[in-house]
Amino acid sequence: MPPKKRARVTKAGKDDDGETAGAKRKATEKTTESSESVAPPQYCHWLMKSEPESRFENGVDMKFGIKDLKAMPNQTSCWDGVRNYQARNFMRQMKDGQLAFFYHSNCKEPGIAGVIKIVKEAYVDHTQFDKKDAHFDASSKPDNPKWSMVDVQYQRMMKRYIPLSELKKYHLQHRADGGPLKDMALFTRARLSVQPLTTEEFDFILSLEEEKPFRWTK
């Protein structure tokens, strides 16, 4: 039997800004637990990245787009493979019933594809102990596991795909005029595969569904 499909986070290839990943990326993403000692603010909305196009790592296809989630039993999947302490800690903050954007990453046109819901709060990510899994971590032990995951459920597709390029234009405009996306983590903490959103950011992005794509005005 083929292995069960699971959510896969961006680990290599090119980042959404087109910058080649690799050793430099890993050095940027990898954090230490000691650096996370200050209690972070609490959030209730999220952005979660996964790859909608096939890419093989250690013989495992990392592809998991929103349509793959929709096709799962009960339209639900675990969100495994997160190997960054800050992203992990954000997942540990997630509460049952909270909403997140499903973000297509490491693809031709990155962007927000749909809305998902957290349906199971953080628990041990079993893939860290699986030597055949692309996210195996030999330094993590069953009696003291490092990594967590949550379960998410498909809610709906966006009424229109919201591309990264459009979000970036709003971010730049809002940095100048104080709009809701001025500090959006997608641009201030771009490397993270799991990111927090303020309620203002989440609501503004939802409102873009009803708008025509952003155009600069002079």
Side-chain angles (χ1 to χ4, degrees):
M1 286 179 61
K4 178 185 174 184
K5 275 279 189 178
R6 299 187 296 265
R8 298 288 181 178
V9 299
T10 302
K11 297 294 286 184
K14 289 189 175 181
D15 293 322
D16 294 334
D17 59 7
E19 191 172 319
T20 301
K24 179 180 177 182
R25 173 178 182 152
K26 291 177 182 177
T28 303
E29 282 203 343
K30 283 292 182 181
T31 60
T32 62
E33 290 190 272
S34 61
S35 69
E36 301 299 318
S37 59
V38 178
Q42 298 299 304
Y43 297 93
C44 58
H45 297 96
W46 310 93
L47 182 147
M48 304 175 76
K49 297 180 180 180
S50 192
E51 301 183 26
E53 299 175 359
S54 287
R55 178 180 65 80
F56 287 86
E57 187 172 325
N58 295 341
V60 178
D61 191 354
M62 309 304 288
K63 176 183 180 293
F64 194 86
I66 194 167
K67 291 182 179 179
D68 296 301
L69 175 61
K70 187 178 181 181
M72 295 290 288
N74 201 31
Q75 300 182 326
T76 300
S77 174
C78 60
W79 198 274
D80 65 353
V82 172
R83 297 296 182 264
N84 171 276
Y85 285 117
Q86 191 172 20
R88 178 207 66 182
N89 290 347
F90 283 138
M91 287 204 300
R92 289 180 176 180
Q93 290 184 38
M94 293 177 177
K95 302 299 181 185
D96 188 11
Q98 291 181 343
L99 297 178
F101 287 127
F102 193 116
Y103 182 92
H104 280 173
S105 184
N106 199 22
C107 57
K108 184 176 181 180
E109 186 175 41
I112 295 173
V115 179
I116 58 179
K117 182 170 70 174
I118 310 306
V119 293
K120 184 175 180 178
E121 296 177 12
Y123 62 106
V124 175
D125 180 350
H126 60 275
T127 65
Q128 64 195 297
F129 309 122
D130 184 354
K131 293 182 179 180
K132 295 180 180 179
D133 194 275
H135 300 117
F136 171 67
D137 184 352
S139 68
S140 185
K141 307 302 179 184
D143 59 348
N144 187 26
K146 289 183 177 181
W147 307 111
S148 303
M149 61 186 180
V150 297
D151 285 359
V152 301
Q153 184 180 53
Y154 170 88
Q155 297 297 292
R156 66 177 180 86
M157 303 292 290
M158 298 295 283
K159 294 178 183 177
R160 71 176 181 89
Y161 190 80
I162 310 295
L164 173 66
S165 57
E166 181 177 348
L167 292 169
K168 186 173 184 178
K169 290 175 183 177
Y170 278 111
H171 168 66
L172 293 173
Q173 184 185 67
H174 292 181
R175 277 202 313 181
D177 62 20
L181 301 191
K182 64 183 184 299
D183 297 319
M184 188 178 180
L186 187 60
F187 304 102
T188 62
R189 287 181 276 190
R191 304 287 184 174
L192 291 178
S193 63
V194 177
Q195 302 176 356
L197 292 170
T198 66
T199 298
E200 186 181 26
E201 290 167 344
F202 186 84
D203 290 345
F204 178 82
I205 293 170
L206 278 182
S207 75
L208 297 180
E209 292 184 300
E210 309 293 343
E211 303 290 334
K212 293 182 179 180
F214 181 94
R215 294 289 184 271
W216 285 107
T217 58
K218 295 183 179 180

